[in-house]
Amino acid sequence: MATVSTSQILKVDTSHGLVFGFAIVSKLRNDAGELEDYYDLNVDHAGEHAGKRVPENITEDAMFKAAVDAASSGVQMAGNDMHAGDDTGTYYFMFPLTEDIAKALEIETKRTGLLVAYKPEPEVLAKFADGTYTGFSMEGARVTFEEHDDGN
């Protein structure tokens, strides 16, 4: 069992209108102090698991490649209001924090993944500030996947 909250929001800065945190969590430190793969529950929209919540681990390598692709596009990424409605707000900053990068920069971390600063519309910022929202809504698509037998 993980010893750290899986909440992805680390700081809400209302003076600048920014929300800081992890848009993607790849690894989470366990009770033994080791970083292990983190599995988030996401809803599949197609295929045999359509409409079901399925565990998904976005590896550090996949997260890093997605961050590089997003940054190299030259376009700031838009976010939306918890996976609903039109895009609103913009991801201003993105930084891929892998285990290797954290070690190189001498950063002690309880999780690895994609650190972001998101600037939502004021009414959405208020939901982050009051704790209604505890995570980010970032659009993306699973390119490949691998089924795992959980042993049950």
Side-chain angles (χ1 to χ4, degrees), residues 85-135:
D86 295 331
D87 287 341
T88 178
T90 303
Y91 286 91
Y92 275 20
F93 309 111
M94 292 190 300
F95 183 82
L97 183 65
T98 65
E99 196 170 353
D100 288 343
I101 290 172
K103 284 179 187 176
L105 297 175
E106 300 178 1
I107 295 173
E108 297 280 333
T109 185
K110 295 178 181 178
R111 57 183 80 106
T112 67
L114 185 63
L115 286 164
V116 298
Y118 175 56
K119 186 167 181 75
E121 299 297 324
E123 61 276 4
V124 176
L125 179 67
K127 292 179 182 179
F128 282 107
D130 72 14
T132 300
Y133 289 166
T134 60

